[in-house]
Amino acid sequence: MSPADDDTTVRAAGCVLWRRAPWTGSPGVELCLVHRPKYDDWSHPKGKLKPGEDPLAGALREVAEETGYAAEPGTELPTVRYLANGRPKEVRYWAAAAGAGAFAPSDEVDRILWLAPDAARTRLTEPRDRDLVDALLATRPDGNGH
């Protein structure tokens, strides 16, 4: 039985949200990180799936709820698995280009930052989230591949 088949596994989804950087540089993208005051951490936008919800649909919903931005999904990125409050958690991620939108603070997410990949890697609280930056960059989300 895979972790996804286990009834105790918490299923979630999110995106590594990116946009073209307003400055010229390599690779020329910025990543959106969200700050969750409940945990005082910086992460990629993500959240638990609703019962029966398609993971990609849930990822896009969570991005919109947490960042205020629409997202255009691209390549699926590696799934992240870890224990959260003693329960296995599985988070599916996609690379996603930011579309129209504007951030509005909420109780769940009080701040967002748009950072260059190296700065995003440094700011992310959990090391497991840093690997997703590299996975995103491998998809070349700069107009030269996705």
Side-chain angles (χ1 to χ4, degrees):
M1 180 183 334
S2 76
D5 297 329
D6 186 344
D7 288 335
T8 65
T9 299
V10 176
R11 295 179 62 243
C15 293
V16 179
L17 189 65
W18 65 274
R19 68 181 182 190
R20 291 187 193 288
W23 41 266
T24 56
S26 182
V29 297
E30 289 180 325
L31 308 183
C32 182
L33 303 185
V34 299
H35 181 261
R36 302 179 304 166
K38 179 178 178 181
Y39 304 104
D40 191 24
D41 70 352
W42 288 95
S43 67
H44 302 291
K46 68 178 182 302
K48 292 178 190 154
L49 295 174
K50 296 178 179 178
E53 185 175 30
D54 175 76
L56 178 55
L60 298 176
R61 175 184 54 76
E62 286 291 338
V63 167
E65 288 176 4
E66 293 188 357
T67 70
Y69 287 86
E72 181 64 35
T75 305
E76 185 169 4
L77 301 174
T79 296
V80 177
R81 293 175 179 88
Y82 56 96
L83 284 178
N85 300 318
R87 289 181 62 194
K89 186 168 186 176
E90 179 179 282
V91 187
R92 290 180 63 184
Y93 283 97
W94 282 264
F103 176 68
S106 69
D107 290 341
E108 189 177 358
V109 174
D110 62 352
R111 290 182 284 161
I112 66 169
L113 287 176
W114 288 98
L115 298 170
D118 286 345
R121 229 184 253 104
T122 300
R123 181 62 65 108
L124 285 161
T125 302
E126 292 294 334
R128 63 179 167 256
D129 290 338
R130 297 179 189 138
D131 294 338
L132 292 165
V133 174
D134 297 325
L136 172 83
L137 295 178
T139 71
R140 302 186 64 191
D142 56 3
N144 296 316
H146 287 88

